[in-house]
Amino acid sequence: MKTVKIGSDISASRLSYGCMRIGNKTEKEAAEAVETALACEINFFDNADIYCGGKSEELFGRAVAGMDRSKIYIQSKCGIRKGFYDFSKEHIISSAENSIKRMNCAYLDVLCLHRPDVLMEGEEVAEAFDNLYSRGLVRNFGVSNFNPMQTELLKKYIDYPLVVNQLQLSIFHTGMIDSGMCVNMKNDFSVSRDGSVLPYCELNNMIIQAWGPMRSRNGFFPCDEAVSDKVKVLEEYAAGFGVSKEALAVAFLLRLHQVQPIIGTTSPNRIKAICESEKIELTRQQWYLLYKEMGNIIP
């Protein structure tokens, strides 16, 4: 599998495996999902302290127990608590420590702040990052669901580069693409709801980790009746490439070179099928055609 550089020391697979749902599975099923991802040459795994109340991290840790730690990259996220967000120094440190303990992994390659805390005190975040980095518990830092100005505010206080921003992005959720396509036009597609986060991340050497690559407005597009006509078109194009519609949807994202899609299915067969996206190199014409066929505007 091709790789993408994250920060200065991570050569990550273009696809990341998201472990959120393995916490709802048996230990055997969770292990099979993780092992399938590894067999498909995925070496980057995304977790969060809140996923299934910590069980997802526990089952992931058991699935990779005994592996050469240098062969995989482990990311977790913190900051979401029941009913509120918390970027306090104490919570960030304890969350990272507990994630490491649950996964029995000694350190995290990346720790992300999960959703913006409006009450953030930058000095506290900086102290937490210094603590975790100096103790060797976290090697890189990132954010999730941040807009550019929220990222800039955080950067004012910390001494570490932010290497990733995890954002919702799919072939049916392309707001960060639409607003750049329809600049200065009077239509819904021209509205920037994220402060031009797509070019901002590239300018600042941040990889966009696309969460929800199978999502549409009403859930997951493979079974969303509201977009069934577009899904049929996607299936027809996918058949031409000899892959599933899910694989083509991920290949659409891979054509954006600063994007690392996070796949979260727990089905080994679907993991394998989605990884077929790596074999597709969409031309510019094909990519723009798919974009338009999904109901978007090319001015």
Side-chain angles (χ1 to χ4, degrees), residues 23 37 65 71 74 85 94 133 147 153 156 169 173 180 182 204 211 221 223 230 233 235 240 255 269 294:
K71 301 295 184 183
I74 300 175
Y85 303 138
S94 64
Y133 186 85
N147 67 33
L153 178 60
K156 173 184 176 181
L169 178 63
H173 186 89
C182 296
N204 288 273
W211 68 262
F221 74 76
C223 53
K230 296 179 178 62
V233 172
E235 287 178 332
R255 190 64 173 81
N269 287 336
M294 295 304 106

Side-chain angles (χ1 to χ4, degrees), residues 57-249:
E57 289 185 329
E58 290 177 5
L59 291 181
F60 171 75
R62 294 175 196 170
V64 298
M67 274 196 66
D68 182 347
R69 181 66 176 81
S70 66
K71 301 295 184 183
I72 58 173
Y73 299 105
I74 300 175
Q75 172 176 280
S76 194
K77 303 184 290 294
C78 69
I80 298 180
R81 303 184 72 173
K82 189 174 182 179
F84 65 103
Y85 303 138
D86 188 351
F87 285 1
S88 65
K89 174 183 176 181
E90 293 77 12
H91 183 69
I92 293 173
I93 292 173
S94 64
S95 293
E97 290 173 340
N98 289 332
S99 289
I100 289 168
K101 183 177 180 180
R102 281 191 291 268
M103 292 186 282
N104 193 28
C105 62
Y107 64 90
L108 299 175
D109 292 284
V110 185
L111 175 68
C112 293
L113 301 179
H114 207 157
R115 281 194 178 273
D117 176 8
V118 178
L119 304 181
M120 176 187 80
E121 295 183 22
E123 295 89 350
E124 277 201 69
V125 177
E127 289 176 8
F129 283 9
D130 287 343
N131 179 293
L132 294 167
Y133 186 85
S134 65
R135 293 162 61 201
L137 298 182
V138 176
R139 296 188 172 183
N140 297 276
F141 298 95
V143 294
S144 179
N145 304 297
F146 273 52
N147 67 33
M149 289 307 293
Q150 290 165 333
T151 305
E152 285 295 312
L153 178 60
L154 179 58
K155 287 167 64 176
K156 173 184 176 181
Y157 297 98
I158 63 175
D159 294 325
Y160 309 94
L162 296 170
V163 298
V164 302
N165 191 358
Q166 195 169 122
L167 297 158
Q168 185 177 5
L169 178 63
S170 77
I171 198 169
F172 289 102
H173 186 89
T174 55
M176 67 177 72
I177 297 170
D178 305 338
S179 59
M181 194 85 72
C182 296
V183 171
N184 201 37
M185 296 182 69
K186 291 184 177 181
N187 59 46
D188 289 342
F189 290 88
S190 69
V191 178
S192 176
R193 295 177 171 84
D194 51 41
S196 300
V197 73
L198 183 66
Y200 171 85
C201 286
E202 184 169 3
L203 279 168
N204 288 273
N205 299 313
M206 298 175 73
I207 294 298
I208 290 179
Q209 295 178 331
W211 68 262
M214 299 300 135
R215 285 186 177 271
S216 55
R217 180 172 295 183
N218 299 307
F220 297 96
F221 74 76
C223 53
D224 184 354
E225 288 298 322
V227 293
S228 59
D229 56 332
K230 296 179 178 62
V231 171
K232 185 176 180 180
V233 172
L234 192 61
E235 287 178 332
E236 292 172 355
Y237 279 101
F241 286 101
V243 299
S244 68
K245 58 183 179 293
E246 292 87 353
L248 184 57

